[in-house]
Amino acid sequence: MTVSRTICLGFLAVITIGAILLMMPFSTSSGSWNDPIVALFTSTSAVCVTGLSVVDPGTYFSFWGQLFIALLAQIGGLGYMTTTTFLILLIGRKFDLRQKIAIQQALDRPGMSGGAQVIRSIIATTLIFEITGVLLLLIAFVPDYGWSQGLWLAIFHSINAWNNAGFSLFKDNLIGYQSSAVVVFTITGLIIFGGIGYQVILETYIWLRDRFLKKKATLVFSLDFKVATSTTLILLVLGTIAFLCIEMRNPETLGNKSFSTQLMLAWFQSVTPRTAGFNTIDNGKMTTAGLFITIALMFIGASPGGTGGGIKTTTVRVLTSCTKSILQGKEEVLLYNRKIAVSLILKAVGVLVGSIATVIISTILIALTDPELDFIQILFEVMSAFATVGLSTGITSSVTPAAKIILIITMYIGRVGVLLLMSSILGDPKPTRIHYPEENLLVG
């Protein structure tokens, strides 16, 4: 079995186990057997760290059902191979060659050495951020719900924020805390760091450590770090400004609120499409322009190595740099004075084309099954599913069972990745020694 097929089947296995657990009577607050489609949809959404839900998790599921959702989101955020590798480390087993290759491919690492140490660091980083999130959220939740319920709410939302899942136990998601600076900045902080990638966090830690210890040797930031951080910062700033300008006169979203609250709401709305799914405003009441900007941000998504989805910030930068090189008449694609390999450019193009094709096909199929829905609502829902975001205009629970199955498949494709899924079906790509003659072609 190929490595890509192992990873894809691993995610399917976790989704199946999660669906079975969520079907059990003890997982629902009513104590009855759960609807299979609801259980499968919720399990897929959790494992694929999406956050779309056809029911209200806070009232529909019991404590055990909510706990299963949190655990599935944790496994999905870490990734199947990371979780499996960690369990192997716990029981003291050593890696064979196939497992080392799987870790390398799952984490997108250049080499196979040091995989175990990387896994330990990822788990440690996850625990540090999630525990910090819990402690901060306790400040907001305990006064309103008491220690026991407040602690569980803090744990659940911290896990979902770090893993960019977006499930909430509140009926209105986080709209009730839209003016709480503690909740807004804690959740957005967890979303950003969870989605920016482990490599960026590690390099930041090393840089801060060297500055604190006043070491002479200075860290040279990698190209991954520079591209991920700069692109993320640009998107966050531009997104905040765009939402503030577009929605500040909309009384259903940002209008009729103080400027400080409007700024926090615009900031949150800029962060959450990348790709968390929490919301502090009603997405169904946003303007068409606001919805379209959200769709664009969802499509871009987070950074490689993080817990978010989308085509990734690095893919966008490679493609925009290609365009810049063409306009400047250059034959090389450069990023921060570094030449981008042709293989990476081809990979970026493949990700873009495959992603667009998936979104178009899913949108068409849902439009056929639910012809009464608006196009922007369908596109928003499909993009949210594919980019594993979890934002919705409120149609998730009302679509037909066929549309729910389409969304389940779309979430799965978005989580494992278009190229990895195709590799699992067609087999891992093999280099060829055959070279064909070159010929010009009219393009554009």
Side-chain angles (χ1 to χ4, degrees):
M1 185 182 293
T2 63
V3 173
S4 56
R5 193 167 299 168
T6 300
I7 296 174
C8 290
L9 291 177
F11 272 106
L12 281 177
V14 177
I15 290 171
T16 303
I17 294 171
I20 293 172
L21 290 174
L22 291 175
M23 280 182 59
M24 297 298 172
F26 54 77
S27 293
T28 62
S29 56
S30 63
S32 58
W33 287 88
N34 196 358
D35 183 342
I37 293 182
V38 172
L40 179 61
F41 193 100
T42 306
S43 178
T44 305
S45 185
V47 175
C48 298
V49 289
T50 305
L52 284 175
S53 182
V54 293
V55 295
D56 176 23
T59 56
Y60 187 87
F61 291 102
S62 66
F63 168 77
W64 291 108
Q66 296 169 11
L67 179 61
F68 293 145
I69 292 173
L71 292 175
L72 291 171
Q74 187 75 81
I75 295 173
L78 289 173
Y80 165 74
M81 283 309 306
T82 302
T83 306
T84 304
T85 305
F86 180 65
L87 294 176
I88 291 174
L89 290 172
L90 284 180
I91 62 178
R93 285 180 54 190
K94 294 184 178 181
F95 302 137
D96 57 25
L97 181 59
R98 178 176 292 275
Q99 289 168 336
K100 290 181 179 180
I101 296 174
I103 295 170
Q104 176 197 10
Q105 188 166 343
L107 300 179
D108 200 15
R109 286 174 53 80
M112 290 185 290
S113 61
Q117 184 60 39
V118 171
I119 297 297
R120 293 189 185 96
S121 300
I122 291 175
I123 299 297
T125 302
T126 298
L127 291 176
I128 290 171
F129 274 93
E130 288 182 351
I131 292 172
T132 303
V134 169
L135 296 177
L136 291 173
L137 290 175
L138 285 174
I139 299 173
F141 294 154
V142 169
D144 294 339
Y145 296 94
W147 271 102
S148 59
Q149 182 66 6
L151 177 61
W152 172 236
L153 289 171
I155 293 172
F156 187 90
H157 288 85
S158 181
I159 291 174
N160 276 271
W162 169 258
N163 291 290
N164 280 223
F167 280 100
S168 176
L169 298 182
F170 301 116
K171 198 171 186 64
D172 60 354
N173 208 282
L174 295 178
I175 294 178
Y177 288 92
Q178 62 181 204
S179 58
S180 172
V182 173
V183 173
V184 168
F185 290 110
T186 300
I187 295 294
T188 53
L190 289 170
I191 293 170
I192 292 170
F193 283 106
I196 205 167
Y198 165 77
Q199 182 67 28
V200 173
I201 297 175
L202 177 61
E203 291 189 32
T204 303
Y205 164 74
I206 294 174
W207 181 79
L208 291 173
R209 183 195 63 187
D210 291 346
R211 291 293 296 270
F212 180 76
L213 298 176
K214 297 180 180 180
K215 289 187 176 181
K216 293 182 179 180
T218 56
L219 172 69
V220 178
F221 289 116
S222 66
L223 185 60
D224 282 317
F225 179 94
K226 295 176 182 177
V227 172
T229 53
S230 61
T231 308
T232 298
L233 184 61
I234 291 171
L235 292 174
L236 290 176
V237 173
L238 292 180
T240 302
I241 295 173
F243 283 117
L244 188 63
C245 294
I246 292 172
E247 297 291 334
M248 69 185 308
R249 294 183 181 179
N250 183 357
E252 301 290 343
T253 54
L254 271 63
N256 303 325
K257 294 178 175 62
S258 64
F259 181 74
S260 60
T261 302
Q262 287 180 336
L263 194 60
M264 280 200 301
L265 291 175
W267 162 256
F268 196 97
Q269 194 62 26
S270 178
V271 173
T272 193
R274 317 272 324 288
T275 56
F278 289 110
N279 61 283
T280 52
I281 61 174
D282 187 347
N283 294 294
K285 296 178 180 178
M286 290 176 64
T287 62
T288 303
L291 289 174
F292 200 79
I293 291 174
T294 305
I295 289 172
L297 291 175
M298 289 193 293
F299 187 62
I300 295 172
S303 300
T307 56
I311 64 172
K312 302 297 190 294
T313 54
T314 49
T315 303
V316 172
R317 284 297 293 274
V318 169
L319 294 172
T320 53
S321 296
C322 285
T323 306
K324 180 181 177 182
S325 296
I326 293 171
L327 295 176
Q328 292 177 341
K330 297 179 179 178
E331 296 183 354
E332 295 179 341
V333 178
L334 301 177
L335 268 174
Y336 294 99
N337 297 322
R338 293 293 186 271
K339 179 182 176 181
I340 304 301
V342 175
S343 59
L344 289 180
I345 297 173
L346 294 176
K347 183 178 180 180
V349 173
V351 169
L352 177 66
V353 173
S355 300
I356 293 176
T358 302
V359 171
I360 290 175
I361 293 171
S362 298
T363 302
I364 292 173
L365 291 176
I366 293 181
L368 291 173
T369 60
D370 290 79
E372 72 282 357
L373 294 176
D374 293 335
F375 168 73
I376 192 71
Q377 289 181 311
I378 298 174
L379 180 61
F380 191 95
E381 202 80 8
V382 169
M383 189 64 76
S384 180
F386 173 76
T388 68
V389 179
L391 293 175
S392 175
T393 56
I395 66 171
T396 313
S397 59
S398 60
V399 297
T400 61
K404 291 173 183 175
I405 297 298
I406 295 169
L407 289 174
I408 288 172
I409 297 172
T410 305
M411 286 189 286
Y412 176 74
I413 295 174
R415 181 63 185 93
V416 300
V418 176
L419 298 185
L420 188 67
L421 182 62
M422 292 303 297
S423 295
S424 68
I425 298 173
L426 303 176
D428 291 336
K430 297 178 181 179
T432 178
R433 296 181 179 179
I434 302 175
H435 298 280
Y436 295 92
E438 188 177 286
E439 186 172 346
N440 288 329
L441 178 69
L442 296 177
V443 176

